[in-house]
C-alpha cells in the first residue's frame, strides 16, 4: 500500500504528536522501537502488515493531529515495538505528513528515539530510495535496508540485483523482501535483532537541509552503488545501462500510453469513477437496509426485556440507535475504501490524481485532492483525514473547506424521502434525475466554494503550489493487501466518527425525551420535550421557509447525523409504527398542515428543504474533525456559519420565488 | 530550454534546476539533479501536468515545476 496518495494513512491511528515527553516514555518501555521509513509507494505499509502479521496488538493514541501506527510483536523471545509512519523523500520535510515521520525519526514523540530504522527501498529506483538511508546513517542511526519490488526488476525489466553489494557499499545489513507474499520477512527480523545489539556511536540528530552541491554529490555516490548492485546484462540491448535502469518497466510504459493519454485517459478515468459510484450506491443499499433492520430489531428486543424506565429508553433509543446511525454507513465506507485500496495497490490512484489536477488547479485545489473529494461522497470525516497527503497548506485547507458540500451518504435518506414526496407516481424518473442533479451540483458548488474561499484565504497566496506526484509501477492488486487496508481504514473511521456521533445522539435523545412525562406515547412525549421548546423558538426562523416548528425539531436532531432527520420527522409528525418504512411517513407528510390549515409540505417547501440540506453543515462530527485537521476554529466556524447561512438564504429564496410565481 | 519544450519520449539531461528554494530543494532531493536523464512520457492538454520519467519511475509535474527544470536534449 502506498502513502504518497493514500486515503488515510494506512495502518491504525495515531499519536498526540507531543514532542515534550519523549524521554520519559522511552524509559517506561524498554521494548526496542523499530521505525519503518521509505519513500511514498515503497511498499512500506505492506511490509508493516506482513511484519506484524495477525498476532499483534495495535495501540491507538486518541486526540491526534497526526497519524502513525505502532504495534508490538514478538521476535524470538523479545517483545518489540514497530512503527509505521507516512512516506518521506528526504529528511527536509515539507508536508504535515512528512513532519510526523521526521519527528518520529529523531525521538520527538512520546515513543522516544527509534532503536533501529528499517528503510524500505524499491529495487527499480534504488538511487532515490537509498537517498534518505544515506542521510539517516550519517545522522548516526542504526539502519537495516529492506529491498522490495525485486520481482518487477527481475520479471519485467530482466535485470538482477546483488544485495550484498548494497550492503558492502552502504555499510549496513540489507535484506531482500516481498511484503505482499511475506518472503524475506524472517530474515529481516533477524537482521534487526543483530543491528540493535550493536552500540550506537552517537545520539542521532536531525541534519540541516543539504546544499545543492551536497545533493548532487550524494546522488553521484548512490548512482555508483546502483550501478554496482544492478546487473542489466540480460536486459534488451539498444540503450546504455544507465538509460535501461532509468526506464520504467515495459508493462507500465505500455499501459500508461492509454491511462495517461489526453483523451482515452479521461475516458478510462470517467469509467472507473462511474463504476465506483455505482458500487457505492447500488451494491451497498441491501447491506445498509440489513444493518438498519438489525439495529432496530435489537433495540426493540432489548426494550422488551428491560424494565420500562427512562434509562432503558436511553439505552435502546439513544445509544443503540446512535450506534446504528454510524453502523448504517459502514457498507458504503467499506466499499469505498475497498475500491480505493484496489486503485492504490494497482498504482492507478496517482494517475487519476494527475488527470484531474488541471481542472482542480483552476479553482486553487490540487490533483492530490481527488481522493479526499471522492471519499467526501461517502463521508466528510475520512475525507478530511485523507487531505494530509496534500503538501501545500493552502490547497489542503481549501480542500477541507469544500468537503462538507459533497453529497455525503447521510444526505441520501433525506433526499430520498423528499424526492419521493415530490415525485409523481407515474413519473418515477424525476426522482432519479433529481438525485443525479444534486450530485453534479455538489461538485460544481464545491469547486465554486474553493474558488470563492480562496479569494479570502490569505495564506500562501503568492506561492505556486507544486504537484510532484510519483506515479508508481502498475501492478495487479493483491486481494489480501487491499482487504487489510480496507480493514484498518474502516476501523479508523469507526473509532473517529463513532464516539462523537454516539455522544451527540445521546444528547439529542435527552433533548427529545426530557422532561420525562410517564404515560405519554413517544410522539406526545417528543412534542412536549426540550427539543419541542427549542423548535417553537425556531418557529419564526422556519416560517419564511414555509415550514413550522416540527420540521425545526427534526432539523435540530439532524445535527447528530443528517439522516436522523427522517426518523425525527416521523416521530414528530405522529407516525405510529415503524419509522423506517417511508410509506406511512409520506402519508403523514401529505396530511400535515400548518397552524392555519394550509399544507405543510408543498413543492416549494420541500425544494427549499432540499436546498437547505445541499449547503448546510449539520454534522457536528465534521465540525470537530475540521477543527482538529485545520488546527483552529477559524475554518470550522466559517464552514458552520457560512454554509448554514447560505443554506438558509438559498432555501428562503427558492421558497419565496416559487410561491411568488404561483407554485404552492 | 525547459522540460516543457521537449518532444515526448525524447531523452534529455537535466542542466540546472531553478525556481524558489523550496521547489528546488524538493526537485533535487527527489532526484532531478544536474546530469541525470529525463524523458517526458505523457502530457495532459496544455502540458499541465506532464508525466516525466526519472531514475526508474514516473512523476507528474505541473507546468510550473517542469519550467524550473532546464535541460539539454540527448541524441
Amino acid at each position: 500500500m502506498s502513502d504518497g496518495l493514500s486515503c488515510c494513512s494506512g495502518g491504525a491511528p495515531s499519536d498526540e504528536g507531543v514532542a515534550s515527553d519523549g524521554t520519559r516514555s522511552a524509559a517506561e518501555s524498554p521494548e526496542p522501537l523499530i521505525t519503518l521509513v521509505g519513500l511514498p509507494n515503497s511498499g512500506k505499509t505492506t511490509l508493516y502488515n506482513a511484519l506484524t502479521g495477525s498476532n499483534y496488538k495495535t495501540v491507538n493514541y486518541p486526540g491526534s493531529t497526526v497519524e502513525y501506527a505502532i504495534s508490538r510483536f514478538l521476535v524470538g523471545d523479545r517483545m518489540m515495538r514497530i512503527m509505521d509512519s507516512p512516506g518521506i523523500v528526504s529528511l527536509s520535510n515539507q508536508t504535515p505528513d512528512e513532519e510526523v515521520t521526521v519527528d518520529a525519526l529523531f525521538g520527538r514523540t512520546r515513543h522516544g528515539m527509534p532503536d533501529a530504522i528499517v528503510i524500505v527501498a524499491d529495487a527499480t529506483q534504488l538511487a532515490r530510495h537509498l537517498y534518505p538511508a544515506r542521510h539517516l546513517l550519517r545522522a548516526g542511526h542504526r539502519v537495516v535496508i529492506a529491498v522490495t519490488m525485486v520481482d518487477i526488476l527481475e520479471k519485467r525489466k530482466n535485470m538482477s540485483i546483488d544485495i550484498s553489494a548494497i550492503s558492502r557499499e552502504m555499510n549496513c545489513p540489507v535484506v531482500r523482501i516481498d511484503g505482499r507474499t511475506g518472503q524475506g520477512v524472517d530474515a529481516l527480523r533477524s537482521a534487526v535483532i543483530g543491528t540493535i545489539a550493536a552500540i550506537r556511536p552517537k545520539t542521532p540528530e536531525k541534519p540541516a537541509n543539504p546544499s545543492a552541491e551536497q545533493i548532487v554529490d550524494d546522488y553521484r555516490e548512490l548512482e555508483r552503488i546502483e550501478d554496482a548492485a544492478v546487473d542489466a546484462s540480460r536486459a534488451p540491448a539498444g540503450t546504455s545501462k544507465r538509460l535501461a535502469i532509468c526506464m520504467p518497466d515495459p508493462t507500465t510504459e505500455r499501459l500508461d500510453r492509454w491511462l495517461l493519454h489526453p483523451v482515452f485517459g479521461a475516458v478510462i478515468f470517467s469509467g472507473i469513477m462511474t463504476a465506483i459510484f455505482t458500487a457505492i450506491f447500488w451494491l451497498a443499499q441491501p447491506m445498509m437496509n440489513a444493518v438498519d433492520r438489525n439495529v432496530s430489531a435489537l433495540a426493540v428486543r432489548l426494550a422488551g426485556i428491560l424494565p420500562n424506565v427512562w434509562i432503558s429508553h436511553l439505552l435502546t433509543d439513544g445509544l443503540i440507535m446512535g450506534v446504528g446511525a454510524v453502523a448504517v454507513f459502514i457498507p458504503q465506507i467499506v466499499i469505498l475504501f475497498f475500491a480505493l485500496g484496489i486503485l492504490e495497490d494497482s498504482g492507478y490512484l496517482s494517475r487519476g490524481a494527475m488527470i484531474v489536477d488541471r481542472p482542480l488547479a483552476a479553482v486553487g485545489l490540487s490533483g492530490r485532492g481527488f481522493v479526499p473529494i471522492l471519499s467526501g461522497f461517502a463521508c466528510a470525516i475520512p475525507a478530511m483525514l485523507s487531505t494530509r497527503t496534500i503538501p501545500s497548506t493552502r490547497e489542503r485547507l481549501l480542500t477541507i473547506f469544500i468537503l462538507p458540500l459533497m453529497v455525503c451518504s447521510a444526505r441520501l435518506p433525506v433526499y430520498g424521502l423528499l424526492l419521493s414526496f415530490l415525485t409523481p407516481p407515474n413519473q418515477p424518473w424525476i426522482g432519479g434525475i433529481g438525485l443525479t442533479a444534486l450530485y453534479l451540483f455538489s461538485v460544481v458548488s464545491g469547486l465554486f466554494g474553493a474558488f470563492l474561499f480562496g479569494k479570502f484565504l490569505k495564506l500562501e497566496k503568492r506561492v505556486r503550489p507544486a504537484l510532484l506526484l510519483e506515479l508508481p509501477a502498475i501492478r495487479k492488486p493483491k486481494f489480501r493487501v487491499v482487504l487489510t487496508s480496507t480493514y484498518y481504514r474502516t476501523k479508523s473511521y469507526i473509532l473517529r466518527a463513532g464516539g462523537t456521533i454516539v455522544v451527540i445522539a445521546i444528547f439529542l435523545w435527552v433533548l427529545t425525551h426530557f422532561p420525562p412525562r410517564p404515560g405519554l406515547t413517544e410522539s406526545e412525549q417528543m412534542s412536549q420535550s426540550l427539543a419541542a421548546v427549542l423548535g417553537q423558538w425556531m418557529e419564526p426562523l422556519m416560517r419564511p421557509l414555509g415550514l413550522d416548528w416540527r420540521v425545526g425539531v427534526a432539523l435540530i436532531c439532524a445535527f447528530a447525523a443528517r439522516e436522523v432527520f427522517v426518523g425525527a420527522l416521523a416521530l414528530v409528525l405522529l407516525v405510529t409504527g415503524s419509522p423506517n418504512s417511508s410509506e406511512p411517513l409520506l402519508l403523514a407528510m401529505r396530511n400535515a398542515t400548518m397552524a392555519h390549515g394550509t399544507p405543510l409540505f408543498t413543492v416549494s417547501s420541500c425544494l427549499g428543504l432540499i436546498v437547505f440540506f445541499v449547503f448546510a453543515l449539520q454534522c457536528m462530527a465534521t465540525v470537530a474533525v475540521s477543527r482538529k485537521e485545520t488546527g483552529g476554529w477559524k475554518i470550522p466556524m466559517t464552514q458552520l456559519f457560512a454554509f448554514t447561512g447560505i443554506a438558509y438564504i438559498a432555501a428562503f429564496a427558492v421558497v419565496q420565488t416559487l410561491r411568488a410565481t404561483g407554485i404552492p | 530550454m525547459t522540460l516543457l519544450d521537449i518532444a515526448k519520449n525524447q531523452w534529455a539531461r537535466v542542466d540546472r534546476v531553478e525556481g524558489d528554494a523550496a521547489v528546488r530543494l524538493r526537485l533535487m532531493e527527489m532526484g532531478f539533479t544536474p546530469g541525470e536523464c529525463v524523458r517526458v512520457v505523457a502530457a495532459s492538454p496544455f502540458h499541465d501536468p506532464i508525466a516525466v520519467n526519472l531514475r526508474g519511475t514516473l512523476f507528474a509535474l505541473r507546468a510550473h515545476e517542469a519550467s524550473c527544470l532546464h535541460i539539454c536534449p540527448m541524441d
Side-chain angles (χ1 to χ4, degrees):
Chain A
M1 187 164 71
S2 76
D3 31 22
L5 193 77
S6 66
C7 143
C8 0
S9 311
S14 11
D15 182 63
E16 282 160 5
V18 183
S20 53
D21 56 357
T23 44
R24 183 208 60 187
S25 54
E28 268 173 19
S29 330
E31 297 159 3
L33 176 66
I34 316 298
T35 304
L36 286 182
V37 179
L39 266 65
N41 304 310
S42 56
K44 189 164 52 63
T45 300
T46 310
L47 174 62
Y48 174 78
N49 291 333
L51 264 176
T52 50
S54 54
N55 51 357
Y56 65 91
K57 182 170 161 265
T58 300
V59 191
N60 298 315
Y61 297 93
S64 67
T65 51
V66 295
E67 188 154 350
Y68 45 79
I70 287 204
S71 289
R72 298 169 70 224
F73 70 113
L74 210 56
V75 182
D77 56 352
R78 199 155 177 201
M79 192 59 105
M80 296 203 184
R81 295 173 297 154
I82 183 149
M83 179 194 279
D84 182 23
S85 49
I88 53 166
V89 169
S90 66
L91 299 184
S92 24
N93 48 292
Q94 295 191 350
T95 72
D97 244 9
E98 292 169 354
E99 201 177 320
V100 174
T101 306
V102 176
D103 279 348
L105 285 177
F106 292 99
R108 296 184 205 152
T109 67
R110 53 148 61 160
H111 308 289
M113 185 70 79
D115 294 281
I117 290 177
V118 173
I119 304 223
V120 187
D122 179 340
T124 63
Q125 19 178 337
L126 215 48
R128 294 184 54 237
H129 282 243
L130 291 181
Y131 181 82
R134 206 169 153 77
H135 288 224
L136 285 167
L137 279 162
R138 211 182 278 151
H141 267 299
R142 287 178 287 219
V143 168
V144 177
I145 297 172
V147 179
T148 59
M149 316 275 178
V150 181
D151 52 333
I152 289 197
L153 189 81
E154 288 177 345
K155 290 194 192 114
R156 292 202 191 160
K157 295 183 82 170
N158 257 321
M159 297 177 185
S160 58
I161 192 163
D162 179 5
I163 297 291
S164 59
I166 308 176
S167 175
R168 216 164 36 238
E169 297 282 353
M170 298 290 289
N171 200 13
C172 69
V174 181
V175 183
R176 171 188 167 164
I177 57 132
D178 186 345
R180 287 157 55 111
T181 60
Q183 185 203 347
V185 168
D186 285 332
L188 179 63
R189 285 201 185 101
S190 27
V192 167
I193 301 251
T195 305
I196 53 176
I199 292 164
R200 189 155 50 194
K202 59 174 182 177
T203 309
E205 260 180 71
K206 187 189 168 203
N209 287 355
S211 69
E213 291 72 35
Q214 282 168 323
I215 301 174
V216 173
D217 285 349
D218 277 336
Y219 265 111
R220 240 175 238 149
E221 178 64 15
L222 289 170
E223 279 158 28
R224 193 185 59 74
I225 297 172
E226 186 173 46
D227 232 41
V230 175
D231 174 11
S233 57
R234 285 186 302 122
T239 45
S240 68
K241 181 178 179 187
R242 186 78 210 129
L243 283 191
I245 291 176
C246 284
M247 290 281 280
D249 67 88
T251 312
T252 301
E253 176 104 12
R254 224 176 10 252
L255 286 169
D256 273 339
R257 256 175 245 157
W258 296 97
L259 298 178
L260 298 179
H261 188 277
V263 177
F264 298 116
V267 172
I268 295 170
F269 177 80
S270 318
I272 292 177
M273 287 305 109
T274 312
I276 293 180
F277 271 102
T278 314
I280 289 181
F281 299 116
W282 301 113
L283 222 62
Q285 204 52 54
M287 290 190 261
M288 294 175 79
N289 292 343
V291 171
D292 203 25
R293 254 197 325 274
N294 284 323
V295 170
S296 308
L298 178 70
V300 168
R301 266 185 71 184
L302 262 180
I305 299 166
L306 294 168
N308 188 18
V309 290
W310 69 269
I311 190 115
S312 3
H313 289 288
L314 174 64
L315 184 69
T316 55
D317 300 346
L319 192 65
I320 294 184
M321 295 316 263
V323 171
V326 182
V328 77
F329 294 112
I330 292 176
Q332 285 191 328
I333 302 268
V334 167
I335 292 176
L336 175 81
F337 285 161
F338 187 76
L340 281 177
I342 291 179
L343 293 187
E344 193 175 24
D345 200 48
S346 64
Y348 185 79
L349 206 53
S350 312
R351 286 164 173 83
M354 175 179 163
I355 287 166
V356 295
D357 183 65
R358 189 69 191 85
L360 290 178
V363 295
L365 299 172
S366 160
R368 289 179 188 251
F370 154 60
V371 174
I373 291 171
L374 186 63
S375 313
F377 286 112
C379 177
I381 294 166
M384 284 186 178
L385 301 179
S386 67
T387 59
R388 287 179 190 162
T389 55
I390 303 176
S392 149
T393 316
R394 182 184 172 82
E395 289 176 335
R396 183 165 172 262
L397 293 183
L398 284 179
T399 312
I400 291 180
F401 184 75
I402 61 152
L403 283 175
L405 292 175
M406 300 300 120
V407 181
C408 68
S409 48
R411 284 179 173 105
L412 270 184
V414 179
Y415 290 161
L417 176 74
L418 295 173
L419 285 173
S420 47
F421 182 82
L422 290 174
T423 308
N426 53 343
Q427 289 160 301
W429 46 271
I430 289 184
I433 291 185
L435 196 60
T436 313
L438 285 168
Y439 272 93
L440 291 177
F441 184 75
S442 79
V443 175
V444 174
S445 65
L447 294 182
F448 186 70
F451 174 75
L452 210 63
F453 187 60
K455 297 264 173 230
F456 293 101
L457 187 67
K458 295 276 185 296
L459 182 85
E460 292 181 5
K461 210 167 185 172
R462 294 184 178 282
V463 181
R464 300 175 81 165
L467 182 65
L468 291 180
L469 184 64
E470 192 185 320
L471 310 175
I474 304 233
R475 325 175 72 173
K476 206 169 107 192
K478 271 249 188 319
F479 193 63
R480 195 175 50 82
V481 173
V482 175
L483 274 188
T484 315
S485 75
T486 308
Y487 168 74
Y488 280 124
R489 285 169 176 170
T490 309
K491 190 171 136 191
S492 166
Y493 160 76
I494 294 171
L495 290 176
R496 269 163 203 282
T500 321
I501 294 179
V502 167
V503 167
I504 295 173
I506 291 174
F507 176 69
L508 282 173
W509 183 89
V510 171
L511 270 190
T512 48
H513 289 75
F514 270 72
R517 293 189 178 81
L520 295 188
T521 66
E522 203 166 353
S523 287
E524 287 166 340
Q525 166 69 49
M526 186 155 181
S527 61
Q528 295 176 23
S529 66
L530 287 173
V533 173
L534 276 176
Q536 269 146 358
W537 283 350
M538 282 174 68
E539 172 103 18
L541 271 177
M542 301 311 293
R543 215 172 288 138
L545 305 185
L547 301 166
D548 70 357
W549 67 272
R550 290 173 290 182
V551 184
V553 171
L555 283 180
I556 292 178
C557 296
F559 274 91
R562 291 178 177 96
E563 80 285 0
V564 173
F565 178 82
V566 178
L569 193 65
L571 269 183
V572 81
L573 288 180
L574 296 156
V575 181
T576 44
S578 159
N580 293 316
S581 71
S582 60
E583 204 40 57
L585 176 54
L586 283 178
L587 207 64
M589 283 170 71
R590 288 195 208 289
N591 295 334
T593 53
M594 306 275 282
H596 42 76
T598 55
L600 173 60
F601 291 98
T602 61
V603 173
S604 59
S605 69
C606 282
L607 281 177
L609 261 180
I610 290 180
V611 169
F612 185 81
F613 271 91
V614 164
F615 292 109
L617 175 43
Q618 289 162 294
C619 176
M620 288 303 113
T622 302
V623 175
V625 173
S626 173
R627 194 206 72 80
K628 213 181 276 170
E629 290 298 307
T630 60
W633 282 108
K634 198 174 135 203
I635 286 184
M637 284 298 124
T638 313
Q639 287 173 313
L640 182 61
F641 289 107
F643 289 157
T644 314
I646 290 169
Y648 185 80
I649 294 166
F652 173 75
V654 165
V655 172
Q656 296 306 326
T657 314
L658 287 176
R659 297 212 163 155
T661 53
I663 297 165
Chain B
M1 78 196 283
T2 73
L3 206 52
L4 286 176
D5 308 315
I6 195 169
K8 232 165 76 172
N9 284 323
Q10 198 194 341
W11 284 100
R13 275 188 198 281
V14 177
D15 185 36
R16 58 183 200 280
V17 186
E18 296 195 335
D20 66 80
V23 173
R24 270 185 60 201
L25 176 65
R26 190 61 165 196
L27 282 169
M28 290 191 72
E29 289 208 295
M30 278 185 139
F32 288 95
T33 50
E36 188 51 30
C37 317
V38 287
R39 180 181 59 128
V40 175
V41 172
S44 314
F46 308 111
H47 266 60
D48 193 11
I50 56 173
V52 182
N53 180 191
L54 166 94
R55 295 183 188 272
T57 189
L58 291 177
F59 289 94
L61 301 184
R62 281 184 179 167
H64 171 60
E65 291 114 67
S67 72
C68 294
L69 291 165
H70 290 253
I71 50 157
C72 41
M74 287 162 71
D75 32 49

